[in-house]
Amino acid sequence: MKFTKTALYAFLFFGLLLLVLSCQEETQKADLIITNANIWTGNDKQITAQSMAIRGDSIMAIGTNEEIQKFNGKATEVVDVNGSFVTPGFIDTHVHLLNGGFNLSSVKLRDSKSPEEFTQRIAEFAKTIPSGTWIAGGEWDGSEWGTLPSKDWIDKVTPNHPVFVSRLDGHMALANSLAMKLAGIDIRVANVEGGVILRDDSNQLTGIFKDNAMTLITSKIPTPTNEQMDRAIDDAMKYFASNGVTSVHHVWYPTDAEGHLEGFKRAHAANRMLTRIFSMGSLGKWLQRSEQIKKEGIGDHWLKINCLKGVFDGALGSHTAAFMEPFTDKPTDKGLFMLPETDLYQWVSAADKTELQIAVHAIGDRAINILLNTYEKVQSENGVRDRRFRIEHAQHIAPSDIKRFAELNVIPSMQPYHAIDDGRWAEKVIGPERIKTTYAFKSLFDAGAKVCFGSDWPVASGSALHGIYAAVTRRTLDDKNPNGWVPEQKITPEQALIAYTRNGAYASFEEDIKGTLEPGKLADFVIINEDITKVDPVQIKDLKVLQTYVGGKKVFDRKEN
């Protein structure tokens, strides 16, 4: 059979067209389909779904099982989750990633019930490591001991190991005599502005250092090697993956090891990232970070560096949070500022002019009030733009300041687990009136503030499920508040989910790429055995993360761990 030229061209054209259409059809197929699921999307336009199609690192489509079936191709992996609950990956907006990674392999002191147990645990841990190795971390509580620990408790059991173990709030730590000797500290040491060095009745050092005074010791602790740092970062990311956390906001703190950002960069370059990291630098080094961004940019979907963090006051448990009125149990003490108010304003104003985002730690009502005033002044002076100033912790708010968060678009970055921890003893410290707006989750939501949630890990559990449980129930850890501590501030499971997902993305200017499950966004999600919004709230803390996906890739599977 012979073809005319025209017929041959037509044949080739239609053949090519069929080939193109076939290729186009194939490109519409998903790499992964999650099906038969109970999906909470976080997207108000489509709050629930059954199935989700993923191609590459992003979501192609989301809908019913039938609607998503058309994306099923020959190479598509289909995962039937049998009705399990699926939510956007949790975004923990306040962690100390590197410290937490190191603490995973350090002495565990958080649940020590007595001074004797505290001492014994340190003694036993010291036997497992070479002489001369520093013992740090620990995260002790001590609220039930009736006294603060002393170097005298541990000197005899750690003659060859320098010790600097911190209280769980990170604002107080205990040094043994060897650690102080290596740091060049003796009885003649001068007080530190924004910090406290405790002495006993005979003017001897007890070994307790608070806030800025802690740097006298931490500055002498050897910098971790790159290998040690990389291992700590990897361990921390695995920990978060097991808890359904797909993004963290790493928060700088004065006692952090130097070089953490370089460690994150190494993990990124080596394709070891399991967790997306929003890494905050020091507010006091705003110029260096600004210059760095000019050279390198702000980062990508895995690692971003366009935020700075300052520390204004201390913490409630260490009696260093700054209050308008004295502590109930210490009538002469109103706390302290770690940063002078004039420096706070100057740094915030200067950093804001470079268009870096700013987050500042403020816990006491006086610190929060001054910080809100500072933010308002800077907004007025530097002009209108979308800044999204943040207040980290925002724990003890004066009632008149609650509405100002929404009015000024200041984000309260809060850690709900602290409420059920501190709630055991906070009323003794600040009295019955001030606790009414302590961890004021509901009041802030009602006022229209963009509340975001985090853990403050390793200060508290890094489990988002524990955080949601705390926000919804407010049942203190001692089980003495079954209906909730200050129950008026309880919120719904849906609100807690929003704070851990959608608002977390907003808090880092990333709501266009994550925080909800919808087409075009990153495929970061977690599969949980039961529906957080439907179970008895008391059971939320016992739910299980089954699988965690980041960018469409599985980074945790309970069956494999």
Side-chain angles (χ1 to χ4, degrees), residues 88 95-96 110 114 234 238 368 383:
V95 309
H96 304 281
R110 181 181 297 269
S114 66
D234 290 348
K238 290 174 184 176
I368 293 168

Side-chain angles (χ1 to χ4, degrees), residues 51 60 271 309 322 345 435:
S51 191
M60 293 177 67
N271 294 317
K309 188 248 185 173
Y345 163 72
I435 66 169

Side-chain angles (χ1 to χ4, degrees), residues 402-469:
I402 288 174
K403 63 182 181 180
R404 299 179 67 198
F405 281 85
E407 291 172 352
L408 299 172
N409 193 27
V410 172
I411 298 168
S413 171
M414 309 179 80
Q415 301 77 47
Y417 193 86
H418 288 333
I420 63 173
D421 191 348
D422 294 6
R424 296 171 297 156
W425 46 263
E427 186 170 351
K428 298 177 184 176
V429 179
I430 58 174
E433 271 306 304
R434 283 183 286 190
I435 66 169
K436 292 178 181 178
T437 50
T438 285
Y439 304 102
F441 309 133
K442 187 174 188 303
S443 293
L444 287 164
F445 263 100
D446 289 349
K450 293 275 193 182
V451 180
C452 66
F453 279 164
S455 65
D456 205 10
W457 186 75
V459 176
S461 166
S463 165
L465 291 174
H466 289 172
I468 292 170
Y469 163 83

